[in-house]
Amino acid sequence: MIQQVMSFGKMPLANGFLEKEEFLNEYFFELALQFDSESKLISLVEQPNPSKMFNEKYAFFSGTSKLMQEHFRLMAEDYFKDFLFNKSDAFLVELGCNDGIMLQNIANRGVKHLGVEPSLNVANVAKKKGINVISNFFSNSLALEIKKHYGQADVLCAANVMCHIKDLSSVAQGAFSLLKEDGVLIFEEPYMGDVINKTSYDQIYDEHVYIFSVLSVMNLFARFGFTLFHVEPQETHGGSMRYYLCKNGVKNINESVNRQIDFELALGLDKYETYLDFSEKCKNSKLNLVELLKNLKKDGKKVVGYAATSKSTTVLNYCGIGSDLIECIYDTTPIKQGKYSPGMHIPIKPYIDFENDRPDYAVLFAWNHSKEIFHKEKDFIARGGKWILFVPEVGIIETKVS
Ligand code: TYD
């Protein structure tokens, strides 16, 4: 049975940063969640057409943070060591390789590889690095073509991609035919356990059609002949999970899977009521954030945003926060700078202006990169600036200058 959990109201595209002239024709859809009591999957009720989100104007570049560069370097090392090393015909395929942040480490080792990336602008950046990429959406039919031209794969991997793909059955079927008999399907995605524990509702936006849990991944992929044999929690994106799957009967199930399932049952991820409770927590978070910003405004403080993340689009639109409360957002991504935030139209400025503009408070939208950002922005704290966080709770945080 599928039951609606909550609606966040009308939402624009999370990465739909736009020019003033585009305001009138901006696209909106209703962002709402539903729960499937059979598979235990949380998904969006409605998702915009993928070509609206993943195209030649895609604004998300994976390579913008040091933390993520290191994360993907280690990921490539693990995949090489565990599944590719010492195989003369080793072949790895990555879905949604973005700017090649992970795949470049595989290519550098001289391993046969292929990236499948639908957003042409980021795919071209990967190509310039000498990575073998085709710009397309992965599907069962594309998998058959890849198999014909390149042969079967040892590893089919994806990071922050699988939760973007509505037609998972086509992907799972494609993965099954593309992988060798002992091949592995590995993907990591923002984790429902963390979203519930931290009330990090900002993970919910157009691109994330699913927020996976171990229970839901196990149930969904079992329908296509896959066994979930290992899971590894990750710190990235505010809490993610890496899922390892094999064809049925090929590997033994690791203890990590049962341990994580016990955790999920204790948290109630299998129950509809847990998500209703989450929806109440989102409402409280919204009230608290708006009240805090209104009070700061009343006190004449200069409040800005730091990092125009995809996540910030949900927060700003759900809470109805515009440039009256947050006067601008600073970001390092060149194609976002000079544009306006989706829906609420807050100006996006280059991050080098952050210090010169001397804000009193900065709402940290990239809270998942807080360590790196606090370190980089020591001067902001040293002259009395303060960070505002909304995950796991709304509040002004005191950071020490070290
Ligand atoms: P991320 O959390 O990966 O974003 P998303 O919610 O879109 O997945 O953060 C990436 C965004 O944050 C990108 O727009 C660049 C910006 N950013 C900064 O502006 N400064 C920084 O120091 C960091 C780490 C990110």
Side-chain angles (χ1 to χ4, degrees):
M1 184 171 57
I2 294 180
Q3 290 164 286
Q4 179 152 339
V5 175
M6 70 177 292
S7 170
F8 291 89
K10 289 284 169 211
M11 270 301 147
L13 302 179
N15 270 304
F17 295 88
L18 69 178
E19 314 273 1
K20 249 189 195 146
E21 306 76 67
E22 297 170 304
F23 287 176
L24 271 179
N25 291 323
E26 192 170 7
Y27 172 86
F28 287 87
F29 73 107
E30 188 181 347
L31 183 69
L33 286 184
Q34 61 187 16
F35 175 66
D36 179 354
S37 55
E38 212 175 292
S39 65
K40 316 301 179 200
L41 180 67
I42 282 283
S43 60
L44 297 191
V45 175
E46 184 191 338
Q47 196 200 24
N49 188 315
S51 60
K52 275 196 186 302
M53 301 178 280
F54 309 112
N55 50 41
E56 71 290 350
K57 289 185 179 163
Y58 191 50
F60 182 82
F61 284 73
S62 296
T64 48
S65 109
K66 284 198 186 118
L67 174 92
M68 293 310 282
Q69 278 166 17
E70 181 59 5
H71 177 74
F72 283 114
R73 188 186 68 75
L74 293 173
M75 178 190 281
E77 241 173 54
D78 281 352
Y79 294 174
F80 180 75
K81 182 166 55 69
D82 296 340
F83 304 110
L84 303 167
F85 179 65
N86 251 349
K87 285 187 179 166
S88 57
D89 61 344
F91 179 34
L92 176 144
V93 179
E94 186 184 16
L95 311 189
C97 67
N98 199 276
D99 53 12
I101 188 169
M102 194 288 283
L103 217 42
Q104 68 199 18
N105 299 289
I106 297 291
N108 288 346
R109 286 185 179 271
V111 174
K112 183 167 128 187
H113 64 274
L114 179 68
V116 181
E117 173 52 68
S119 303
L120 189 61
N121 58 338
V122 287
N124 284 339
V125 175
K127 276 185 197 160
K128 281 198 189 120
K129 294 177 182 167
I131 296 166
N132 193 23
V133 186
I134 48 175
S135 189
N136 208 336
F137 288 97
F138 186 79
S139 64
N140 192 20
S141 59
L142 188 69
L144 296 174
E145 262 182 59
I146 295 173
K147 185 173 156 185
K148 203 163 94 193
H149 285 95
Y150 296 85
Q152 284 184 298
D154 297 274
V155 176
L156 179 59
C157 61
N160 309 306
V161 169
M162 216 53 111
C163 70
H164 291 181
I165 307 175
K166 187 164 188 173
D167 188 359
L168 274 185
S169 60
S170 177
V171 171
Q173 284 164 14
F176 200 89
S177 48
L178 183 54
L179 283 171
K180 293 177 183 168
E181 214 30 49
D182 63 347
V184 286
L185 170 63
I186 315 170
F187 55 90
E188 67 177 45
E189 314 288 322
Y191 180 49
M192 197 70 225
D194 287 291
V195 171
I196 291 290
N197 266 337
K198 299 174 188 163
T199 318
S200 46
Y201 67 89
D202 56 346
Q203 280 299 353
I204 299 158
Y205 53 88
D206 55 348
E207 294 175 24
H208 292 172
V209 64
Y210 305 113
I211 308 280
F212 292 122
S213 59
V214 171
L215 285 166
S216 59
V217 166
M218 184 177 70
N219 292 333
L220 285 170
F221 282 83
R223 296 173 188 167
F224 301 96
F226 282 105
T227 301
L228 180 65
F229 69 92
H230 181 49
V231 293
E232 271 172 17
Q234 308 290 323
E235 281 185 9
T236 48
H237 286 289
S240 299
M241 186 64 68
R242 186 178 296 170
Y243 305 94
Y244 291 78
L245 299 107
C246 62
K247 294 187 177 180
N248 284 345
V250 176
K251 290 182 191 291
N252 293 327
I253 299 177
N254 191 307
E255 181 46 34
S256 60
V257 176
N258 290 329
R259 214 180 314 127
Q260 205 63 35
I261 288 177
D262 287 346
F263 168 83
E264 293 190 357
L265 295 177
L267 196 59
L269 295 194
D270 58 329
K271 293 195 182 72
Y272 177 61
E273 292 69 30
T274 305
Y275 302 100
L276 291 183
D277 183 49
F278 166 72
S279 124
E280 285 307 308
K281 287 185 177 149
C282 293
K283 283 181 204 151
N284 283 335
S285 175
K286 165 181 173 164
L287 292 175
N288 292 339
L289 183 59
V290 171
E291 189 188 333
L292 174 64
L293 295 177
K294 281 189 172 160
N295 285 338
L296 292 173
K297 169 94 181 175
K298 230 189 297 162
D299 294 345
K301 302 294 183 195
K302 183 180 173 73
V303 183
V304 302
Y306 194 99
T309 57
S310 326
K311 297 185 288 291
S312 67
T313 297
T314 295
V315 178
L316 294 168
N317 286 274
Y318 174 57
C319 299
I321 297 167
S323 53
D324 52 331
L325 294 178
I326 291 183
E327 63 176 64
C328 64
I329 305 175
Y330 299 88
D331 196 278
T332 50
T333 317
I335 63 167
K336 294 182 186 176
Q337 297 163 358
K339 291 194 177 155
Y340 293 83
S341 76
M344 298 311 294
H345 304 159
I346 299 175
I348 312 297
K349 295 182 77 175
Y351 107 97
I352 40 161
D353 292 345
F354 177 65
E355 244 333 278
N356 293 340
D357 289 355
R358 302 184 76 76
D360 299 308
Y361 291 84
V363 181
L364 185 56
F365 290 116
W367 53 270
N368 45 316
H369 296 289
S370 58
K371 237 192 240 161
E372 181 173 333
I373 292 172
F374 291 167
H375 183 74
K376 189 162 67 175
E377 301 296 357
K378 279 184 189 151
D379 290 351
F380 170 60
I381 299 300
R383 62 152 191 82
K386 291 200 164 61
W387 293 106
I388 295 174
L389 282 181
F390 48 90
V391 170
E393 270 162 22
V394 172
I396 297 167
I397 60 151
E398 301 291 338
T399 46
K400 287 199 191 89
V401 185
S402 53

